[in-house]
Amino acid sequence: MSADGFASLARPDAGMNVIFLRRGLATLPADQREEHAAGLILAFTVDDLEGELARLRAEGVAITMPLTQEEWGERASKCVTRTAVIVQLLDWTAAGSRSQPGEG
């Protein structure tokens, strides 16, 4: 999957997705838009996004990007580890989803 400033390489058989983003994208939180590649994004599709976010907050994890809904159907939220790895939790809404990672 690709779009302006975004490329996603998926391996459905391995359950993984590598995403490349251009700096300056408006979909990133303002304080992360101009960051040089200091780490990576690990994106996990979860069944209960709100539940996972509540669990992380209860554990004291700072959510660095609140839950957002994209026009293509992705709902996502992010936090950053102490080693600058961005962890993204996401799910897909049926109505907005045209093509999920790894699908035609």
Side-chain angles (χ1 to χ4, degrees):
M1 173 190 316
S2 66
D4 183 34
F6 169 90
S8 174
L9 306 172
R11 283 277 314 262
D13 62 323
M16 67 177 280
N17 196 13
V18 178
I19 299 172
F20 299 95
L21 300 173
R22 184 186 70 232
R23 282 184 297 145
L25 290 177
T27 57
L28 292 172
D31 65 339
Q32 296 174 16
R33 288 181 191 151
E34 298 303 324
E35 289 291 320
H36 290 271
L40 57 102
I41 294 176
L42 294 177
F44 299 95
T45 301
V46 295
D47 292 329
D48 179 10
L49 185 54
E50 287 85 355
E52 286 299 319
L53 291 173
R55 183 184 66 79
L56 289 171
R57 283 188 189 100
E59 294 287 330
V61 174
I63 305 301
T64 58
M65 184 180 92
L67 183 59
T68 59
Q69 171 81 43
E70 301 295 349
E71 64 185 46
W72 53 86
E74 178 185 87
R75 294 184 333 133
S77 185
K78 294 181 177 133
C79 61
V80 179
T81 70
R82 285 175 271 167
T83 57
V85 173
I86 300 169
V87 177
Q88 175 176 306
L89 300 180
L90 63 101
D91 67 7
W92 295 88
T93 61
S97 180
R98 282 182 271 193
S99 178
Q100 295 182 23
E103 293 184 355

